[in-house]
Amino acid sequence: MAHRNTPVPNAYQYFPLNEPEIGTVLDPNMHPQDVEKTPVLFRPITIRDVEFKNRIFVSPMCQYSSDNGHATDWHLIHIGGFATRGVGAICMEATSVLPEGRISPEDAGLWNDTQIEPLRRIINFTHAQGTKIGVQLAHAGRKASTHATWVQTKGGHGLSHIALEDEGGWPSRVTVQATHSKVVYGPSEIPFSAAYPNPKELTEDGLLEIENAFLSSIERCKKAGYDFIELHGAHGYLLHSFLSPLSNNRGDKYGGQSLENRMRFFLRLVTRCREAWAEKPLFVRISAVEWADGPEKDDQGLWKQWGIEQSTVLVGKLKEIGVDLIDCSTGGNWVQQKIPVRPGYQAKTLKKAYPDILVGAVGLITDPVAAESYLKNGQADVIFLARELMRNPHWPLLAAQKLQVNVKPANQYERAWF
């Protein structure tokens, strides 16, 4: 009988085959279908026809390292490191559907066909390690054309965060082509702060251009081979800013006090994206609360900020559209926000309101026991991790140890764990 280092079938390079897949439970006394003995964190979950081997999902993390929107080898190493360490899914960073929709000049994009191939390499590597991968499609809105986070930090507080034209930015109208120009856009001419650009209010034609750009990016996602897509409706970027009365004071059918009006563009865009991405999972990230001072609604019944009551209505609409999972985050639209340290509770509220829709909890989750409790108690269906995975990419294997279950490491790393 021949013994060999078996390769992954049909991979673009030689990679040792992991059987079972990295991040799945190893127990010689357990039948693979006997999930009741397995921590929920390590139980598979199927969304539409896509099976995720466990419930540890990598949250989108901006790297500010793209080359005119193109992924680089930094992204291959960054994403590949998670793929080889046992996570169930990876959602790649906020990826803009238009050049002016980037947060910074160095942010990722999918507005051009030339951006597909660098992503395909990352996707193919991730698949060769038995891990599912998706992307967060985004438009930064009024928070576009700003410096990378570490540039902002080095610049000091109180200074402008605006990336100017000579820094690759587009803070004011700049002609790019005869038929197109870049500018920072928002629902209204309300800047995020004095350190951010002054946005230009989007017209009906501008809204349609953005919707069509999302659809074009979705076609590129198909060509690249992504397993799922997340739409970025959180953290003060374009879609979130339309939802909030703090950033949207339009007088037309897309704004004002009317919740229906403020949700209109968001829901129309998601509907079109669901139709375009019909077969595979579609996630939507929201900021359930934006943590401005005062109540969500005043004594006269006027909406003062975006909060959990409106988020609950929004999630119901997203469920009707056919969104598969709500990635429940928080904040990002109010510069003076004060977020209490309470991970998980907003996801719990939305899950209680809509038990049939999948909900992901994210933010400040570091302890495997706590993560397991959110899942076991029905507060969430998956756990998204970001900073904790940057600090410790081997978190899935360490979580398994803490939850007293044996999980498969990569073949190349097994001798460090057994």
Side-chain angles (χ1 to χ4, degrees):
M1 180 178 178
H3 296 278
R4 62 174 301 193
N5 196 348
T6 306
V8 173
N10 304 316
Y12 67 100
Q13 292 179 0
Y14 171 78
F15 302 110
L17 177 65
N18 284 276
E19 294 182 307
E21 294 176 340
I22 308 166
T24 54
V25 172
L26 291 172
D27 189 337
N29 299 315
M30 185 189 302
H31 189 277
Q33 302 303 315
D34 190 6
V35 296
E36 294 302 321
K37 298 177 182 177
T38 305
V40 184
L41 195 63
F42 290 98
R43 295 180 193 175
I45 182 170
T46 300
I47 307 176
R48 292 194 178 250
D49 291 330
V50 178
E51 182 175 307
F52 300 86
K53 59 191 174 186
N54 64 46
R55 317 258 181 138
I56 304 168
F57 285 18
V58 179
S59 197
M61 293 179 268
C62 287
Q63 297 297 292
Y64 308 100
S65 301
S66 296
D67 184 358
N68 192 26
H70 296 73
T72 68
D73 283 355
W74 173 267
H75 299 92
L76 175 65
I77 301 301
H78 171 67
I79 297 300
F82 298 130
T84 58
R85 288 169 168 86
V87 299
I90 301 167
C91 188
M92 290 189 70
E93 66 190 87
T95 299
S96 183
V97 300
L98 287 167
E100 63 268 30
R102 290 171 290 172
I103 303 167
S104 83
E106 300 81 32
D107 271 354
L110 253 178
W111 66 79
N112 194 311
D113 286 351
T114 61
Q115 293 159 341
I116 296 172
E117 194 56 40
L119 294 172
R120 185 182 284 132
R121 182 184 180 197
I122 297 167
I123 293 165
N124 288 345
F125 178 84
T126 301
H127 285 161
Q129 312 313 313
T131 303
K132 299 299 189 293
I133 183 168
V135 65
Q136 185 187 67
L137 295 183
H139 190 297
R142 65 180 187 155
K143 296 177 80 172
S145 192
T146 56
H147 295 127
T149 52
W150 57 85
V151 177
Q152 294 181 18
T153 302
K154 291 176 182 176
H157 295 292
L159 300 179
S160 173
H161 296 326
I162 301 171
L164 301 174
E165 284 87 349
D166 62 357
E167 299 168 317
W170 52 97
S172 57
R173 185 170 290 278
V174 181
T175 299
V176 178
Q177 301 173 358
T179 59
H180 184 72
S181 51
K182 282 198 297 186
V183 65
V184 173
Y185 287 109
S188 303
E189 295 185 356
I190 305 172
F192 175 64
S193 77
Y196 277 67
N198 292 310
K200 179 179 176 62
E201 183 172 302
L202 275 160
T203 64
E204 182 77 56
D205 287 344
L207 293 174
L208 184 59
E209 180 186 8
I210 290 170
E211 288 180 34
N212 290 336
F214 270 89
L215 299 186
S216 295
S217 293
I218 287 174
E219 293 306 308
R220 296 185 182 101
C221 288
K222 294 176 184 178
K223 294 176 182 178
Y226 281 116
D227 299 302
F228 64 94
I229 289 174
E230 176 171 284
L231 303 177
H232 199 350
H235 302 160
Y237 299 121
L238 186 66
L239 294 179
H240 179 187
S241 65
F242 263 90
L243 294 175
S244 173
L246 294 174
S247 45
N248 181 354
N249 64 2
R250 297 171 71 104
D252 63 5
K253 64 181 181 180
Y254 299 105
Q257 263 297 303
S258 167
L259 175 58
E260 181 182 4
N261 282 359
R262 284 183 280 113
M263 292 192 302
R264 190 181 306 278
F265 173 58
F266 192 119
L267 295 175
R268 192 174 75 188
L269 173 64
V270 175
T271 299
R272 295 188 68 191
C273 290
R274 175 73 282 178
E275 292 169 353
W277 188 254
E279 303 301 325
K280 293 183 179 180
L282 181 67
F283 303 171
V284 174
R285 171 167 278 196
I286 68 168
S287 284
V289 178
E290 56 191 3
W291 305 110
D293 293 334
E296 182 178 351
K297 183 189 288 185
D298 68 14
D299 294 338
Q300 283 72 48
L302 297 176
W303 299 109
K304 306 303 291 184
Q305 60 175 299
W306 186 257
I308 194 66
E309 184 177 345
Q310 294 164 95
S311 288
T312 303
V313 175
L314 175 67
V315 169
K317 300 291 185 182
L318 295 174
K319 181 178 181 294
E320 291 174 5
I321 291 169
V323 170
D324 298 297
L325 183 144
I326 303 300
D327 182 359
C328 184
S329 191
T330 199
N333 196 49
W334 183 245
V335 71
Q336 296 175 320
Q337 66 185 19
K338 297 176 182 177
I339 301 177
V341 182
R342 285 187 291 172
Y345 91 95
Q346 294 164 82
K348 175 183 177 181
T349 300
L350 297 176
K351 186 66 180 174
K352 183 177 181 180
Y354 302 103
D356 294 337
I357 195 167
L358 300 175
V359 173
V362 66
L364 303 175
I365 300 171
T366 60
D367 178 37
V369 175
E372 173 69 9
S373 72
Y374 299 145
L375 300 176
K376 198 169 185 178
N377 296 333
Q379 297 173 229
D381 299 282
V382 302
I383 301 295
F384 283 89
L385 299 175
R387 289 177 176 86
E388 183 64 12
L389 280 172
M390 282 198 281
R391 288 187 288 264
N392 184 2
H394 279 109
W395 191 91
L397 297 177
L398 293 171
Q401 287 185 336
K402 194 163 187 178
L403 296 173
Q404 299 182 326
V405 61
N406 291 324
V407 165
K408 175 72 170 68
N411 293 330
Q412 299 92 325
Y413 297 158
E414 276 188 351
R415 60 187 179 275
W417 296 93
F418 297 141

